[in-house]
Amino acid sequence: MGILVGLLIAIGCMLGGFVAMGGHLIVIWQPWEFVIIGGMAAGTFVIANPMKTVVDSGKATMEAFTGKGPKRKDFLSLLGLIHALLREIKTKPRNEVESHFDDPANSEIFKNYPDVTKDQGLVLFICDYCRLILIGGARSHEIEALMEEEIGTHKKYALKPYGAINTVAEALPALGIVAAVLGIVKAMGALDQSPQILGGLIGAALVGTFFGVFASYGVLAPLALKVKGVREKQCSVYVIVKQSLIAYMNGALPQVAIEHGRKGIAAADRPTIDEVEAATVPGAQNREAA
C-alpha cells in the first residue's frame, strides 16, 4: 500500500505541476519512447541476471508491494517454538528429542507453530543446529561462526533482487538518453519541415530523457530499497534463532535464551517480555488474568 500511495503522490505532483505550468499532457504521451526505454531495461536485466534471479525479483517485488515480512505474531510464534524445543532438549533424553528434528513435518511441537513451519528454510536451519546441540561437544563460538556464515550466505542470495533492480535503476537515465538521441536523429531528418512539426519531434525526443530519469529515481530506486528492507526483515528470523541457541549453549535457561533472541527484534515489532512469557510458560496467561 505504501508503494502505491508513494507512486500516486510522485506522479500526481509531477503531472499536476506540469499542467499548472501550462504544459499539455498529450505531449508527454510518447509510447514508442517508453517502448525503447522499457525494452532496453528489460533486455539488459535479463542479460545481467540468471533466470532464477529474474524470477525471484518478480517475487521480491510482489513481497515489497504487499509488505510480506514477519510481523509481531510471527516473531512471537518463533520464540515460542524455540522455547518449546529447548525445553525438550533440556528435560528429555536425546532419543526422544531427535524425532522432532528428523521429521519436523510430523512433530507435534512444530505443528503447533504453523506460522514458522511454512518457511522450510528456517525450519531446516533450526533443526540442523538443534541436532548439533543434541550431539554435544561443539563449542558455542564455533557454532556461532558457522551460523553467521550460513546467515550471510542466505542474506546474500535473498538480496540479489535488490542488486538486480538497483542496477537497472542506475542505468535508466542513460537508457533514456539513448531514446532521446534516437528521437533527435528522427528530428534531424525533418529539418525541412515547419518549426511546429520540428518542435514536436524534439519535444518527443526529450521525453525519453525525462522518462529515464523519473523511472530511475522516482520508481525503481525506491522500489529496490523497499525490496531490500523486506528481504532484510525476512532474514532477521535467522538471527533470532542464532542468538537464542547460542545463549542456551552458553548455559542460559530456555526462558532466558529466548530473551536473547527477543532483543534481536526491531522495537516496532518486538513483543513484550510479558507477551513472550504468556506464549511460552504454561499457566502464565491465567496468572496474568488473576
Side-chain angles (χ1 to χ4, degrees):
M1 181 61 72
I3 294 178
L4 294 177
V5 171
L7 285 175
L8 286 174
I9 293 173
I11 295 174
C13 289
M14 176 193 67
L15 296 180
F18 179 70
V19 171
M21 291 189 300
H24 300 286
L25 292 179
I26 191 64
V27 176
I28 298 179
W29 179 246
Q30 302 295 336
W32 293 116
E33 293 279 330
F34 304 153
V35 169
I36 291 171
I37 298 170
M40 287 191 297
T44 55
F45 181 76
V46 173
I47 291 171
N49 300 285
M51 190 52 61
K52 185 176 181 179
T53 301
V54 173
V55 174
D56 194 31
S57 296
K59 179 182 176 182
T61 299
M62 292 305 299
E63 291 173 352
F65 270 94
T66 58
K68 188 180 178 182
K71 305 294 191 296
R72 190 186 190 92
K73 66 179 183 64
D74 300 314
F75 289 123
L76 197 58
S77 294
L78 177 59
L79 293 173
L81 172 61
I82 297 171
H83 179 267
L85 292 173
L86 292 180
R87 191 172 56 189
E88 287 283 301
I89 293 173
K90 185 174 181 62
T91 60
K92 293 185 178 180
R94 174 178 169 178
N95 62 331
E96 292 184 21
V97 181
E98 279 183 329
S99 60
H100 296 297
F101 309 124
D102 292 336
D103 188 14
N106 293 315
S107 165
E108 291 302 321
I109 292 179
F110 280 96
K111 286 181 179 179
N112 290 331
Y113 301 93
D115 290 339
V116 180
T117 54
K118 64 185 179 183
D119 186 343
Q120 291 301 311
L122 179 60
V123 171
L124 183 62
F125 184 84
I126 294 171
C127 291
D128 285 347
Y129 289 102
C130 283
R131 282 194 191 95
L132 290 177
I133 293 175
L134 273 178
I135 293 171
R139 299 176 182 177
S140 62
H141 68 274
E142 294 174 344
I143 298 300
E144 184 174 12
L146 185 60
M147 283 182 167
E148 288 177 353
E149 183 177 348
E150 183 172 350
I151 292 171
T153 301
H154 178 80
K155 188 173 181 179
K156 174 185 175 182
Y157 285 95
L159 292 181
K160 277 187 176 294
Y162 159 71
I165 296 171
N166 195 55
T167 299
V168 175
E170 292 174 349
L172 270 172
L175 297 180
I177 292 173
V178 172
V181 170
L182 290 175
I184 293 296
V185 170
K186 178 183 175 182
M188 291 298 100
L191 287 177
D192 59 338
Q193 300 296 316
S194 66
Q196 183 178 4
I197 294 176
L198 187 60
L201 292 174
I202 294 173
L206 292 176
V207 168
T209 302
F210 145 75
F211 181 71
V213 174
F214 175 74
S216 172
Y217 298 109
V219 180
L220 279 192
L223 175 62
L225 285 175
K226 184 71 173 180
V227 166
K228 181 181 180 183
V230 170
R231 283 296 173 91
E232 285 182 336
K233 190 174 182 181
Q234 291 175 355
C235 291
S236 67
V237 293
Y238 291 87
V239 178
I240 295 168
V241 174
K242 184 199 79 170
Q243 295 290 87
S244 300
L245 296 186
I246 294 301
Y248 178 79
M249 292 186 71
N250 286 328
L253 294 172
Q255 195 66 33
V256 177
I258 62 171
E259 181 63 15
H260 284 252
R262 188 182 75 88
K263 291 298 184 181
I265 304 171
D269 299 306
R270 184 189 302 156
T272 66
I273 191 169
D274 291 332
E275 288 176 322
V276 174
E277 183 180 2
T280 57
V281 179
Q285 289 179 319
N286 294 335
R287 291 200 303 270
E288 279 190 11

